[in-house]
Amino acid sequence: MRLFCFLTLFFTLSIQAQFQINGIVTDADNKPLPFATITTIDNNNTITDVDGKFILNFSSKSSFFTVSYIGFQTKKIAIDENKKFYPISLVQKTDDLKEVVVSNENPALTIIKKVIANKNNNNPQKKLKTFEYKTYNKLIVTANPDSIQGRIDSSATYKDLEKKKINIDSSDYKFKEIITKQHLFQTEKVSQYQFGDRKLKETVLGTKIAGFKNPIYEVIAFNLQSISIYDNKYELFETKYENPISNTAPASYNYKLLDTVNIKGRETFMIYFKHKRKSSGLEGVLYIDQENFAIAKAVMRIKGVLDISGIHEFEYVPSEKIWFQSNTTFKIVKGKNDDDIKILGGTIQFDGDISDDFEPRKKTASDFTYLLSESNNFDIHYNNPTVIKNPSLYIEIKDDASQKPEEFWNTYRKATLDEKSEKTYELLDSLSVNRRIEKRLGFGRKILNGYIPVGPVDLDLKKIISYNNYEGFRLGLGGITNEKFSKNFRIEGYSAYGTKDGVVKYNLGVGFLLDKNTNTWLNGSYTDDIREIASTVFAVDKRVFKIYDPRPINISTFYKYDSWKANIQTKIIPKTEAVVELARTYVEPKFDYLFNYNEHLYSNYIMTTAMVSIVWAPFSDFMQTPTGRNESDKRFPRFTFQYTQTLPNVLGNDFTFGKIDFKTEYEKKYLNGQKTSLLLQGGYAMGDAPLTHLYNTMPNNLTKETIIQRITFAGRNSFETMFFNEFFSSQYVFFQAKHGFKRMQIVKKVSPSLVLVTRMAWGHMENPEQHVGPSYKTLDKGFFESGLELNKIYKGFGLGGFYRYGPNQLLKFEDNIAVKISYVIDLGL
């Protein structure tokens, strides 16, 4: 989504006024005054940000504005229509200020404690049994033309006194021409919010995205800011922070009473807050009702690599004695560095806060771009009987939401669209048709998932070519029918040939859609193929497409399987996806192995199994769309459980055993580009299970003499120093921790990403005498390795080093070291 460039420099409440100015408010020592109040005669007010900066929109009737700040003399500033920037210095009052005194302690802290104590009485989701309201939201990506010089820059080289050569660079000029006529991007949305049984659900009644006939569900579901101001965690741009009015906030935040302000006819305290650790929390202003200590207005801000703000405004409802949210505003700006930032697939290039000795680069057109999202609530009802369908869903989008006529939008818009907004729809819709943007977007989505659409069939890129030590080069062709073929029926399959083993493998399957809303499919298939021994496959794991998957190159031990399967895939249980499967499989190990069962040695065997696999994402949000149910906001931790049981005396089954597999994943991404990920995984096999269906704990190291000979490609979650077939277990537990730092600029075109990795595992083998042939060790004493990776050093290639230590450390020092090549393709996601 490269149209999503986010930039704004100051807090402001509206962009609809006719005129706009900006400035900075300081004291006599030239220090910024944060959150000073700026007021016009038509009450079009704003406040300065933490750096004392402001943007003010005003109507033609405004001839002046006033600036006030507690402890300073109010100043009246005349507006000059030819002046755009106003540096304002306030003079501190010399007389004694009549302060609001609540107690002997910090008055702001006393007020905050009263806010916390009265939260349940003021939080609509605690005080009210039910409520519902509608919201009109408009989001634009645009720029202020007045901020752009718009001249054609020229550089001259004089050849003599009369001749000169002029090079024209008109990018800023062209950008100003465009932005004067239209916005870069624009969306509108009308939603109904319903609250009952302590759950809040959004139903999208209408949605309109410039340039798109069909909605982009990722844009609709993207969470910019918290709906409630009272939650213990406040969210800005999908990152949660401790709320300044959480129960534990007084230990984490500093508070200062700035002023007393009248809002909606009620007196409020204006309190500035800031986290004690600058990089850890929010800062901003809370307006606290002096009578009931409720939030009457809130400005929440994060200032770091990104400068993000969320503004909440409320109306007082006398009948319910509560402040209910009426408007929200979201803005985003580049923060304290000068690096380019990628957000939603787009790169933003613009200056952040810079020191005096830093020489900023020349500004480009994108420097002036910003995003503004405003929501207005209306048609509000309190404590009426409310029936919420599918309350576990966070968002539900009506089937006809993207097909609403203009009359619908005119009904719900706060004001009619101005000429610039109307032009945006007209021009972007025309551009989308001419350049086939929607078709390209659909094509791109399938490419990222590993498919190439060809008419009614999506060809599978993963099946074209791969390599392993058993098959050699595996050449194939596969695919699945798409919606052009049928929305309710699908056919899928593949065929592959190994150049080393000379054997053809294939699969053929069909599926029938049973229920669109819950994505419930009934599937059947037959497969004749091979699989790595002792590997763990979770049936509910999402398909991951890699342009190049390196680990299979090193695998040489496989088993052949012929399998008939029937399963049901469904998302019918809230916040889960499940697969229930019955299978009959013929297994033939393709390595030196016999399974000793009841004094009989098996070189091949039949398994009839029942399996249930389920992934549970309790913290994720789910969205119901016209095409089915999707995980709109993937959050962690998430949990996966799988149980497999053979069925004795059914369809020739040879052995009786059960397997329990489990994993939990956690991931945290930071706005500065760093990422922490944790993985805990385990398995337990009970009964008489052959080695092919036990656990190998994900090895990825070749049995070679020297470090150089063992250099191969790194896996994602595998032990790089563990040799293939070195360890086997009937039960195990595995833990991995990774932390990736932001990319480092070493020289031009060399910007590696440093990742620290540590892995450990414990395991045990029951009945080792049953497995005849291979020699192996067990993990009773544990296995440990740590290392670091320098990924994407050049053209996606990187290098990693890992060291094996602990009870299973080898005698030779060099045998404990593994050097691996990584290859990462940045798809701009």
Short mmCIF file of all heavy atoms in Angstrom, two decimals, residues 566-619:
data_model
loop_
_atom_site.label_atom_id
_atom_site.label_comp_id
_atom_site.label_asym_id
_atom_site.label_seq_id
_atom_site.Cartn_x
_atom_site.Cartn_y
_atom_site.Cartn_z
N ALA A 566 -9.68 -37.38 4.25
CA ALA A 566 -10.91 -36.59 4.22
C ALA A 566 -10.89 -35.69 5.45
O ALA A 566 -10.60 -36.17 6.56
CB ALA A 566 -12.14 -37.47 4.23
N ASN A 567 -11.16 -34.41 5.27
CA ASN A 567 -11.12 -33.51 6.42
C ASN A 567 -12.13 -32.39 6.29
O ASN A 567 -12.65 -32.12 5.20
CB ASN A 567 -9.71 -32.95 6.65
CG ASN A 567 -9.25 -32.04 5.53
OD1 ASN A 567 -9.95 -31.12 5.12
ND2 ASN A 567 -8.05 -32.29 5.03
N ILE A 568 -12.37 -31.75 7.41
CA ILE A 568 -13.21 -30.55 7.47
C ILE A 568 -12.36 -29.42 8.04
O ILE A 568 -11.76 -29.55 9.12
CB ILE A 568 -14.46 -30.76 8.35
CG1 ILE A 568 -15.40 -31.77 7.68
CG2 ILE A 568 -15.18 -29.44 8.57
CD1 ILE A 568 -16.63 -32.07 8.49
N GLN A 569 -12.28 -28.32 7.31
CA GLN A 569 -11.63 -27.10 7.79
C GLN A 569 -12.72 -26.12 8.20
O GLN A 569 -13.68 -25.92 7.45
CB GLN A 569 -10.79 -26.45 6.69
CG GLN A 569 -9.64 -27.27 6.16
CD GLN A 569 -9.00 -26.58 4.97
OE1 GLN A 569 -9.37 -26.86 3.84
NE2 GLN A 569 -8.07 -25.68 5.21
N THR A 570 -12.56 -25.47 9.34
CA THR A 570 -13.60 -24.55 9.79
C THR A 570 -13.06 -23.51 10.76
O THR A 570 -12.06 -23.75 11.46
CB THR A 570 -14.76 -25.32 10.45
OG1 THR A 570 -15.82 -24.41 10.78
CG2 THR A 570 -14.29 -26.03 11.71
N LYS A 571 -13.73 -22.35 10.80
CA LYS A 571 -13.47 -21.31 11.80
C LYS A 571 -14.73 -21.06 12.63
O LYS A 571 -14.97 -19.95 13.10
CB LYS A 571 -13.04 -20.02 11.10
CG LYS A 571 -11.73 -20.14 10.32
CD LYS A 571 -11.37 -18.82 9.64
CE LYS A 571 -10.08 -18.95 8.85
NZ LYS A 571 -9.73 -17.69 8.14
N ILE A 572 -15.51 -22.11 12.80
CA ILE A 572 -16.81 -21.96 13.47
C ILE A 572 -16.66 -21.60 14.94
O ILE A 572 -17.50 -20.90 15.51
CB ILE A 572 -17.65 -23.25 13.29
CG1 ILE A 572 -19.10 -22.99 13.70
CG2 ILE A 572 -17.04 -24.41 14.05
CD1 ILE A 572 -20.04 -24.12 13.33
N ILE A 573 -15.60 -22.06 15.59
CA ILE A 573 -15.36 -21.71 16.99
C ILE A 573 -14.68 -20.34 17.02
O ILE A 573 -13.70 -20.12 16.31
CB ILE A 573 -14.48 -22.75 17.69
CG1 ILE A 573 -15.12 -24.14 17.58
CG2 ILE A 573 -14.24 -22.38 19.14
CD1 ILE A 573 -14.24 -25.25 18.12
N PRO A 574 -15.18 -19.40 17.81
CA PRO A 574 -14.59 -18.05 17.82
C PRO A 574 -13.09 -18.05 18.08
O PRO A 574 -12.59 -18.79 18.93
CB PRO A 574 -15.35 -17.35 18.95
CG PRO A 574 -16.66 -18.07 19.03
CD PRO A 574 -16.34 -19.49 18.70
N LYS A 575 -12.37 -17.25 17.32
CA LYS A 575 -10.94 -17.01 17.46
C LYS A 575 -10.10 -18.27 17.27
O LYS A 575 -9.02 -18.41 17.83
CB LYS A 575 -10.63 -16.35 18.81
CG LYS A 575 -11.30 -15.00 18.97
CD LYS A 575 -10.64 -14.14 20.01
CE LYS A 575 -11.25 -12.74 20.02
NZ LYS A 575 -10.55 -11.79 20.85
N THR A 576 -10.62 -19.20 16.48
CA THR A 576 -9.87 -20.41 16.19
C THR A 576 -9.99 -20.76 14.72
O THR A 576 -10.84 -20.25 14.00
CB THR A 576 -10.40 -21.62 16.99
OG1 THR A 576 -11.70 -21.97 16.51
CG2 THR A 576 -10.44 -21.33 18.48
N GLU A 577 -9.10 -21.65 14.29
CA GLU A 577 -9.25 -22.35 13.03
C GLU A 577 -8.91 -23.80 13.31
O GLU A 577 -7.94 -24.10 14.00
CB GLU A 577 -8.32 -21.79 11.96
CG GLU A 577 -8.48 -22.49 10.62
CD GLU A 577 -7.71 -21.81 9.49
OE1 GLU A 577 -7.11 -20.75 9.76
OE2 GLU A 577 -7.71 -22.34 8.38
N ALA A 578 -9.73 -24.72 12.80
CA ALA A 578 -9.58 -26.12 13.15
C ALA A 578 -9.65 -27.00 11.91
O ALA A 578 -10.30 -26.66 10.91
CB ALA A 578 -10.65 -26.54 14.15
N VAL A 579 -8.96 -28.15 12.00
CA VAL A 579 -9.02 -29.19 10.98
C VAL A 579 -9.29 -30.51 11.68
O VAL A 579 -8.57 -30.88 12.63
CB VAL A 579 -7.71 -29.29 10.17
CG1 VAL A 579 -7.78 -30.46 9.20
CG2 VAL A 579 -7.45 -27.99 9.42
N VAL A 580 -10.32 -31.22 11.24
CA VAL A 580 -10.62 -32.57 11.73
C VAL A 580 -10.45 -33.51 10.55
O VAL A 580 -11.09 -33.32 9.51
CB VAL A 580 -12.04 -32.66 12.31
CG1 VAL A 580 -12.32 -34.07 12.81
CG2 VAL A 580 -12.23 -31.65 13.44
N GLU A 581 -9.61 -34.53 10.72
CA GLU A 581 -9.22 -35.33 9.56
C GLU A 581 -9.20 -36.82 9.86
O GLU A 581 -8.81 -37.26 10.95
CB GLU A 581 -7.83 -34.88 9.11
CG GLU A 581 -7.29 -35.58 7.87
CD GLU A 581 -5.95 -35.01 7.45
OE1 GLU A 581 -5.96 -34.04 6.67
OE2 GLU A 581 -4.91 -35.52 7.92
N LEU A 582 -9.61 -37.62 8.88
CA LEU A 582 -9.45 -39.07 8.87
C LEU A 582 -8.54 -39.43 7.71
O LEU A 582 -8.69 -38.89 6.61
CB LEU A 582 -10.80 -39.77 8.72
CG LEU A 582 -11.80 -39.62 9.87
CD1 LEU A 582 -13.13 -40.26 9.50
CD2 LEU A 582 -11.25 -40.25 11.15
N ALA A 583 -7.59 -40.36 7.94
CA ALA A 583 -6.64 -40.71 6.89
C ALA A 583 -6.24 -42.18 6.98
O ALA A 583 -6.17 -42.76 8.08
CB ALA A 583 -5.41 -39.82 6.99
N ARG A 584 -6.00 -42.77 5.82
CA ARG A 584 -5.39 -44.10 5.73
C ARG A 584 -4.12 -43.96 4.91
O ARG A 584 -4.16 -43.54 3.75
CB ARG A 584 -6.32 -45.12 5.08
CG ARG A 584 -5.74 -46.53 5.05
CD ARG A 584 -6.63 -47.48 4.26
NE ARG A 584 -6.16 -48.85 4.36
CZ ARG A 584 -5.21 -49.40 3.57
NH1 ARG A 584 -4.64 -48.65 2.62
NH2 ARG A 584 -4.86 -50.67 3.71
N THR A 585 -2.96 -44.33 5.52
CA THR A 585 -1.68 -44.05 4.90
C THR A 585 -0.80 -45.30 4.88
O THR A 585 -0.64 -45.97 5.92
CB THR A 585 -0.94 -42.94 5.66
OG1 THR A 585 -1.79 -41.79 5.76
CG2 THR A 585 0.35 -42.56 4.95
N TYR A 586 -0.25 -45.58 3.73
CA TYR A 586 0.77 -46.63 3.58
C TYR A 586 2.13 -45.96 3.67
O TYR A 586 2.42 -44.99 2.95
CB TYR A 586 0.61 -47.34 2.24
CG TYR A 586 1.78 -48.23 1.88
CD1 TYR A 586 1.89 -49.52 2.42
CD2 TYR A 586 2.78 -47.78 1.02
CE1 TYR A 586 2.97 -50.34 2.09
CE2 TYR A 586 3.87 -48.59 0.69
CZ TYR A 586 3.96 -49.87 1.23
OH TYR A 586 5.03 -50.67 0.90
N VAL A 587 2.99 -46.45 4.56
CA VAL A 587 4.29 -45.83 4.83
C VAL A 587 5.40 -46.82 4.51
O VAL A 587 5.37 -47.99 4.94
CB VAL A 587 4.40 -45.39 6.30
CG1 VAL A 587 5.77 -44.79 6.59
CG2 VAL A 587 3.31 -44.37 6.64
N GLU A 588 6.41 -46.34 3.77
CA GLU A 588 7.58 -47.16 3.45
C GLU A 588 8.83 -46.31 3.65
O GLU A 588 9.13 -45.41 2.86
CB GLU A 588 7.52 -47.65 2.01
CG GLU A 588 8.70 -48.53 1.63
CD GLU A 588 8.63 -48.98 0.18
OE1 GLU A 588 7.54 -48.93 -0.42
OE2 GLU A 588 9.69 -49.36 -0.36
N PRO A 589 9.62 -46.56 4.73
CA PRO A 589 10.86 -45.80 4.95
C PRO A 589 11.84 -46.00 3.81
O PRO A 589 12.05 -47.13 3.36
CB PRO A 589 11.40 -46.37 6.27
CG PRO A 589 10.21 -46.99 6.93
CD PRO A 589 9.34 -47.50 5.82
N LYS A 590 12.46 -44.91 3.36
CA LYS A 590 13.44 -44.97 2.27
C LYS A 590 14.86 -44.82 2.82
O LYS A 590 15.71 -44.17 2.22
CB LYS A 590 13.14 -43.88 1.23
CG LYS A 590 11.72 -43.88 0.72
CD LYS A 590 11.29 -45.22 0.15
CE LYS A 590 11.72 -45.43 -1.26
NZ LYS A 590 11.22 -46.68 -1.85
N PHE A 591 15.10 -45.43 3.98
CA PHE A 591 16.43 -45.47 4.58
C PHE A 591 16.52 -46.78 5.38
O PHE A 591 15.53 -47.53 5.47
CB PHE A 591 16.68 -44.25 5.48
CG PHE A 591 15.73 -44.14 6.65
CD1 PHE A 591 16.15 -44.45 7.93
CD2 PHE A 591 14.41 -43.73 6.47
CE1 PHE A 591 15.28 -44.36 9.01
CE2 PHE A 591 13.54 -43.63 7.54
CZ PHE A 591 13.98 -43.95 8.82
N ASP A 592 17.65 -47.07 5.92
CA ASP A 592 17.89 -48.34 6.61
C ASP A 592 17.16 -48.33 7.95
O ASP A 592 17.66 -47.83 8.96
CB ASP A 592 19.39 -48.54 6.82
CG ASP A 592 19.70 -49.87 7.50
OD1 ASP A 592 18.82 -50.76 7.46
OD2 ASP A 592 20.79 -50.00 8.07
N TYR A 593 15.95 -48.91 7.95
CA TYR A 593 15.15 -48.89 9.18
C TYR A 593 14.13 -50.02 9.19
O TYR A 593 13.46 -50.28 8.17
CB TYR A 593 14.43 -47.55 9.33
CG TYR A 593 13.50 -47.51 10.53
CD1 TYR A 593 14.03 -47.46 11.82
CD2 TYR A 593 12.12 -47.55 10.37
CE1 TYR A 593 13.19 -47.45 12.93
CE2 TYR A 593 11.28 -47.52 11.48
CZ TYR A 593 11.82 -47.47 12.75
OH TYR A 593 10.99 -47.46 13.84
N LEU A 594 13.99 -50.68 10.36
CA LEU A 594 12.94 -51.67 10.61
C LEU A 594 12.31 -51.34 11.96
O LEU A 594 13.00 -50.92 12.91
CB LEU A 594 13.52 -53.08 10.64
CG LEU A 594 14.13 -53.62 9.33
CD1 LEU A 594 14.82 -54.95 9.58
CD2 LEU A 594 13.05 -53.75 8.26
N PHE A 595 11.00 -51.51 12.04
CA PHE A 595 10.29 -51.25 13.30
C PHE A 595 9.93 -52.58 13.94
O PHE A 595 9.23 -53.43 13.35
CB PHE A 595 9.03 -50.42 13.03
CG PHE A 595 8.28 -50.05 14.28
CD1 PHE A 595 8.92 -49.41 15.33
CD2 PHE A 595 6.93 -50.36 14.42
CE1 PHE A 595 8.24 -49.06 16.49
CE2 PHE A 595 6.23 -50.01 15.57
CZ PHE A 595 6.89 -49.36 16.61
N ASN A 596 10.43 -52.80 15.18
CA ASN A 596 10.22 -54.04 15.92
C ASN A 596 8.95 -53.92 16.75
O ASN A 596 8.93 -53.23 17.77
CB ASN A 596 11.43 -54.32 16.81
CG ASN A 596 11.32 -55.63 17.56
OD1 ASN A 596 10.39 -56.40 17.35
ND2 ASN A 596 12.29 -55.89 18.44
N TYR A 597 7.89 -54.61 16.32
CA TYR A 597 6.60 -54.53 17.02
C TYR A 597 6.07 -55.95 17.22
O TYR A 597 5.87 -56.70 16.24
CB TYR A 597 5.60 -53.71 16.20
CG TYR A 597 4.22 -53.62 16.81
CD1 TYR A 597 4.02 -52.96 18.01
CD2 TYR A 597 3.13 -54.23 16.18
CE1 TYR A 597 2.75 -52.87 18.56
CE2 TYR A 597 1.86 -54.14 16.73
CZ TYR A 597 1.68 -53.46 17.92
OH TYR A 597 0.42 -53.40 18.48
N ASN A 598 5.91 -56.32 18.50
CA ASN A 598 5.43 -57.66 18.85
C ASN A 598 6.28 -58.75 18.19
O ASN A 598 5.77 -59.72 17.60
CB ASN A 598 3.96 -57.84 18.47
CG ASN A 598 3.03 -57.07 19.38
OD1 ASN A 598 3.41 -56.71 20.50
ND2 ASN A 598 1.83 -56.79 18.90
N GLU A 599 7.63 -58.53 18.28
CA GLU A 599 8.61 -59.48 17.76
C GLU A 599 8.51 -59.68 16.26
O GLU A 599 8.91 -60.72 15.73
CB GLU A 599 8.50 -60.82 18.50
CG GLU A 599 8.76 -60.71 20.00
CD GLU A 599 8.71 -62.05 20.69
OE1 GLU A 599 8.37 -63.06 20.01
OE2 GLU A 599 9.00 -62.09 21.90
N HIS A 600 7.95 -58.68 15.59
CA HIS A 600 7.89 -58.72 14.13
C HIS A 600 8.54 -57.45 13.59
O HIS A 600 8.25 -56.35 14.07
CB HIS A 600 6.43 -58.83 13.65
CG HIS A 600 6.32 -58.86 12.15
ND1 HIS A 600 6.64 -59.98 11.42
CD2 HIS A 600 5.92 -57.91 11.26
CE1 HIS A 600 6.44 -59.71 10.12
NE2 HIS A 600 6.01 -58.47 10.00
N LEU A 601 9.43 -57.62 12.58
CA LEU A 601 10.13 -56.47 12.02
C LEU A 601 9.37 -55.97 10.79
O LEU A 601 9.19 -56.70 9.81
CB LEU A 601 11.56 -56.87 11.63
CG LEU A 601 12.47 -57.29 12.79
CD1 LEU A 601 13.83 -57.74 12.27
CD2 LEU A 601 12.63 -56.16 13.80
N TYR A 602 8.97 -54.68 10.86
CA TYR A 602 8.20 -54.07 9.78
C TYR A 602 9.10 -53.17 8.94
O TYR A 602 9.77 -52.27 9.46
CB TYR A 602 7.05 -53.22 10.34
CG TYR A 602 5.91 -54.03 10.92
CD1 TYR A 602 5.97 -54.53 12.21
CD2 TYR A 602 4.76 -54.25 10.16
CE1 TYR A 602 4.92 -55.24 12.75
CE2 TYR A 602 3.69 -54.97 10.69
CZ TYR A 602 3.79 -55.47 11.98
OH TYR A 602 2.72 -56.17 12.51
N SER A 603 9.12 -53.40 7.63
CA SER A 603 9.81 -52.51 6.71
C SER A 603 8.84 -51.55 6.04
O SER A 603 9.25 -50.58 5.41
CB SER A 603 10.56 -53.32 5.64
OG SER A 603 9.64 -54.10 4.89
N ASN A 604 7.56 -51.82 6.16
CA ASN A 604 6.50 -50.91 5.73
C ASN A 604 5.26 -51.21 6.56
O ASN A 604 5.15 -52.28 7.17
CB ASN A 604 6.21 -51.03 4.23
CG ASN A 604 5.87 -52.44 3.81
OD1 ASN A 604 4.78 -52.94 4.14
ND2 ASN A 604 6.78 -53.12 3.11
N TYR A 605 4.33 -50.28 6.61
CA TYR A 605 3.18 -50.45 7.49
C TYR A 605 2.06 -49.52 7.06
O TYR A 605 2.24 -48.58 6.27
CB TYR A 605 3.55 -50.18 8.95
CG TYR A 605 4.66 -49.18 9.13
CD1 TYR A 605 4.39 -47.81 9.21
CD2 TYR A 605 5.99 -49.60 9.23
CE1 TYR A 605 5.41 -46.89 9.37
CE2 TYR A 605 7.01 -48.67 9.40
CZ TYR A 605 6.72 -47.32 9.46
OH TYR A 605 7.72 -46.40 9.62
N ILE A 606 0.87 -49.81 7.60
CA ILE A 606 -0.34 -49.03 7.31
C ILE A 606 -0.81 -48.36 8.58
O ILE A 606 -0.83 -48.98 9.66
CB ILE A 606 -1.44 -49.92 6.73
CG1 ILE A 606 -1.03 -50.44 5.33
CG2 ILE A 606 -2.77 -49.17 6.62
CD1 ILE A 606 -1.99 -51.45 4.75
N MET A 607 -1.19 -47.10 8.45
CA MET A 607 -1.73 -46.34 9.58
C MET A 607 -3.09 -45.76 9.21
O MET A 607 -3.22 -45.09 8.19
CB MET A 607 -0.79 -45.18 9.96
CG MET A 607 0.56 -45.62 10.44
SD MET A 607 1.57 -44.18 10.84
CE MET A 607 3.04 -44.99 11.45
N THR A 608 -4.06 -46.02 10.04
CA THR A 608 -5.37 -45.37 9.90
C THR A 608 -5.51 -44.43 11.10
O THR A 608 -5.47 -44.89 12.25
CB THR A 608 -6.51 -46.40 9.90
OG1 THR A 608 -6.25 -47.37 8.87
CG2 THR A 608 -7.83 -45.72 9.63
N THR A 609 -5.61 -43.15 10.84
CA THR A 609 -5.53 -42.16 11.91
C THR A 609 -6.72 -41.20 11.90
O THR A 609 -7.29 -40.90 10.85
CB THR A 609 -4.24 -41.33 11.81
OG1 THR A 609 -4.21 -40.69 10.53
CG2 THR A 609 -3.02 -42.21 11.97
N ALA A 610 -7.04 -40.71 13.09
CA ALA A 610 -7.95 -39.58 13.27
C ALA A 610 -7.14 -38.45 13.89
O ALA A 610 -6.32 -38.69 14.80
CB ALA A 610 -9.12 -39.96 14.16
N MET A 611 -7.35 -37.26 13.40
CA MET A 611 -6.54 -36.13 13.87
C MET A 611 -7.41 -34.89 14.02
O MET A 611 -8.29 -34.64 13.20
CB MET A 611 -5.41 -35.86 12.87
CG MET A 611 -4.48 -34.72 13.26
SD MET A 611 -5.02 -33.14 12.54
CE MET A 611 -4.70 -33.43 10.82
N VAL A 612 -7.16 -34.14 15.08
CA VAL A 612 -7.78 -32.84 15.25
C VAL A 612 -6.66 -31.83 15.51
O VAL A 612 -5.77 -32.06 16.33
CB VAL A 612 -8.81 -32.82 16.39
CG1 VAL A 612 -8.19 -33.22 17.72
CG2 VAL A 612 -9.47 -31.44 16.50
N SER A 613 -6.70 -30.72 14.77
CA SER A 613 -5.69 -29.68 14.88
C SER A 613 -6.39 -28.35 15.02
O SER A 613 -7.35 -28.06 14.28
CB SER A 613 -4.78 -29.68 13.64
OG SER A 613 -3.75 -28.74 13.76
N ILE A 614 -5.95 -27.54 15.97
CA ILE A 614 -6.63 -26.27 16.22
C ILE A 614 -5.62 -25.20 16.62
O ILE A 614 -4.69 -25.47 17.37
CB ILE A 614 -7.73 -26.43 17.31
CG1 ILE A 614 -8.54 -25.14 17.45
CG2 ILE A 614 -7.12 -26.86 18.63
CD1 ILE A 614 -9.79 -25.32 18.29
N VAL A 615 -5.77 -24.01 16.05
CA VAL A 615 -4.97 -22.86 16.46
C VAL A 615 -5.91 -21.86 17.13
O VAL A 615 -6.99 -21.55 16.61
CB VAL A 615 -4.23 -22.22 15.27
CG1 VAL A 615 -5.17 -21.81 14.16
CG2 VAL A 615 -3.39 -21.03 15.73
N TRP A 616 -5.50 -21.36 18.28
CA TRP A 616 -6.33 -20.43 19.07
C TRP A 616 -5.55 -19.14 19.23
O TRP A 616 -4.42 -19.13 19.70
CB TRP A 616 -6.63 -21.06 20.43
CG TRP A 616 -7.43 -20.19 21.36
CD1 TRP A 616 -8.51 -19.44 21.04
CD2 TRP A 616 -7.20 -20.01 22.76
NE1 TRP A 616 -8.99 -18.79 22.16
CE2 TRP A 616 -8.21 -19.12 23.23
CE3 TRP A 616 -6.26 -20.51 23.66
CZ2 TRP A 616 -8.27 -18.73 24.56
CZ3 TRP A 616 -6.34 -20.12 24.99
CH2 TRP A 616 -7.34 -19.23 25.43
N ALA A 617 -6.18 -18.04 18.81
CA ALA A 617 -5.56 -16.71 18.89
C ALA A 617 -6.44 -15.82 19.75
O ALA A 617 -7.22 -15.01 19.24
CB ALA A 617 -5.39 -16.12 17.50
N PRO A 618 -6.36 -15.95 21.07
CA PRO A 618 -7.30 -15.24 21.96
C PRO A 618 -7.16 -13.73 21.94
O PRO A 618 -8.11 -13.02 22.28
CB PRO A 618 -6.97 -15.81 23.34
CG PRO A 618 -5.55 -16.25 23.24
CD PRO A 618 -5.39 -16.75 21.84
N PHE A 619 -6.00 -13.22 21.55
CA PHE A 619 -5.78 -11.78 21.58
C PHE A 619 -5.92 -11.12 20.22
O PHE A 619 -5.81 -9.91 20.09
CB PHE A 619 -4.39 -11.49 22.17
CG PHE A 619 -4.20 -12.06 23.54
CD1 PHE A 619 -3.48 -13.24 23.72
CD2 PHE A 619 -4.75 -11.45 24.65
CE1 PHE A 619 -3.31 -13.79 24.97
CE2 PHE A 619 -4.59 -11.99 25.92
CZ PHE A 619 -3.87 -13.17 26.09
#
